[in-house]
Amino acid sequence: MTPDEYCTHKVGSAGSSFYYSFLFLSRAKRRAITALYAFCREIDDIVDECSDAQVAHTKLAWWREEIDRTFRGQPNHPVSRALNPAIEHYGLPRAQFLEIIDGMQMDIEQTRYASFAELKVYCHRVASVVGLLSAAIFGYRNERTAAFARNLGLAFQLTNIIRDVGEDARRNRIYLPLEDLLHFGVEPMEILTGQGGANFHALMEFEAQRAGRFYEEAMQNLVVDDRADQIPSLIMAAIYRATLDEIGAANYPVLRARVSLTPLRKFWIAWKTQRRELRLAKGAA
């Protein structure tokens, strides 16, 4: 298996919504973005699969060293070997890869977040930084598009947090800010035991509205000149926003079930978004 095949398998087997946004890219950009997301999956799997914190720390330390080797042109891992040409071609910064690892390290060391300000640091590291690297691969000219990528990353991660409340609780994790729980009168134990009532529903509506504001702020920063290049990001945004809407329409059953879109619906959204954006780009030309 080649490094590129390894990355394609890693991303495809994860069932990620991001996969559908890669389908309409050029071959070179698809290879680069697939390698980036395979890297993210490798790091994320360490946190999800290692029950021993010391083992997880050791593996993340290895990846820090591997990033250093990769930026010296000496990668060992299949993902790093696939990333190497993309790093050089798109000028991807070493510091941003290390920042993603910093975010995953937070997952090992922290299971609660006192405030949204604290949670936002985590979201930036594990999602907004990935958004910035992705935007660099897709291509942009206006610096406002970096703000688009940062805010979209926050929106995606907040959507994930809302969707996965129950799954995270079963791992003794609560990403929802404790200050929000206090404000809505929700005890952490209610979440850990899956007992959500009217107060929990109000909390979820608040969190969904917050995520929605980040989607809106992201779109306000995407200038016309960069829309065509950022079609993959817009496809991701459409799929994630539809997922958030679906969760709300189902009255936030997130403590008991994981709401997700079918692969067919994700493909349909991706195709529609791509067609719409190409028409807009043609009209603006």
Side-chain angles (χ1 to χ4, degrees):
M1 184 182 290
T2 68
D4 287 330
E5 288 170 343
Y6 179 95
C7 292
T8 298
H9 175 74
K10 188 76 178 179
V11 172
S13 64
S16 171
S17 298
F18 298 115
Y19 169 78
Y20 297 88
S21 71
F22 304 165
L23 297 175
F24 304 100
L25 285 167
S26 67
R27 185 178 178 184
K29 288 185 178 182
R30 186 166 62 248
R31 287 175 65 185
I33 198 67
T34 300
L36 171 61
Y37 278 86
F39 166 76
C40 294
R41 287 257 38 102
E42 289 288 343
I43 304 302
D44 194 44
D45 286 349
I46 292 171
V47 177
D48 289 344
E49 296 172 5
C50 287
S51 56
D52 187 320
Q54 188 54 52
V55 172
H57 277 298
T58 300
K59 289 187 175 184
L60 288 182
W62 185 90
W63 270 105
R64 290 183 190 279
E65 294 170 358
E66 178 68 356
I67 290 298
D68 286 341
R69 285 190 293 269
T70 301
F71 274 80
R72 293 197 303 268
Q74 301 170 328
N76 290 330
H77 196 278
V79 168
S80 311
R81 296 203 296 271
L83 265 175
N84 203 37
I87 286 169
E88 183 175 352
H89 183 77
Y90 297 103
L92 307 180
R94 169 181 169 275
Q96 290 185 341
F97 287 95
L98 296 177
E99 201 167 2
I100 293 170
I101 297 174
D102 288 342
M104 295 305 176
Q105 189 157 327
M106 289 176 72
D107 262 333
I108 301 172
E109 299 169 350
Q110 194 166 349
T111 60
R112 305 286 189 275
Y113 291 86
S115 65
F116 179 65
E118 192 174 307
L119 178 64
K120 194 174 179 183
V121 172
Y122 169 76
C123 293
H124 172 80
R125 289 175 175 173
V126 301
S128 291
V129 172
V130 179
L132 289 168
L133 288 166
S134 300
I137 291 170
F138 300 150
Y140 66 90
R141 292 166 293 281
N142 192 305
E143 278 304 310
R144 285 184 63 187
T145 301
F148 159 77
R150 281 192 296 271
N151 283 295
L152 203 55
L154 287 170
F156 289 167
Q157 192 60 29
L158 292 174
T159 301
N160 285 341
I161 287 169
I162 293 166
R163 181 195 63 196
D164 297 340
V165 169
E167 285 185 18
D168 291 330
R170 288 185 281 278
R171 297 176 180 174
N172 191 35
R173 295 185 178 279
I174 299 177
Y175 289 96
L176 302 171
L178 296 180
E179 65 181 7
D180 295 350
L181 269 66
L182 180 63
H183 178 77
F184 285 94
V186 176
E187 293 291 334
M189 190 56 65
E190 293 178 53
I191 293 175
L192 294 176
T193 57
Q195 299 174 355
N199 288 355
F200 177 78
H201 186 275
L203 169 64
M204 287 295 93
E205 285 190 328
F206 172 80
E207 302 297 347
Q209 289 167 7
R210 172 183 276 155
R213 288 194 295 273
F214 280 107
Y215 282 112
E216 291 164 9
E217 192 168 344
M219 295 308 168
Q220 289 168 7
N221 279 286
L222 183 59
V223 299
V224 173
D225 290 348
D226 285 337
R227 283 192 77 100
D229 286 330
Q230 293 299 316
I231 286 176
S233 297
L234 292 167
I235 289 172
M236 288 186 250
I239 292 173
Y240 264 72
R241 190 66 192 261
T243 301
L244 184 63
D245 291 344
E246 191 81 3
I247 293 168
N251 287 319
Y252 305 98
V254 291
L255 287 173
R256 306 179 305 278
R258 188 179 194 267
V259 177
S260 60
L261 307 182
T262 64
L264 181 60
R265 187 172 174 194
K266 289 178 183 178
F267 180 80
W268 175 246
I269 291 171
W271 182 81
K272 283 199 307 181
T273 303
Q274 192 246 10
R275 293 269 296 178
R276 182 195 69 215
E277 292 300 325
L278 288 178
R279 285 198 302 270
L280 288 173
K282 186 177 180 180

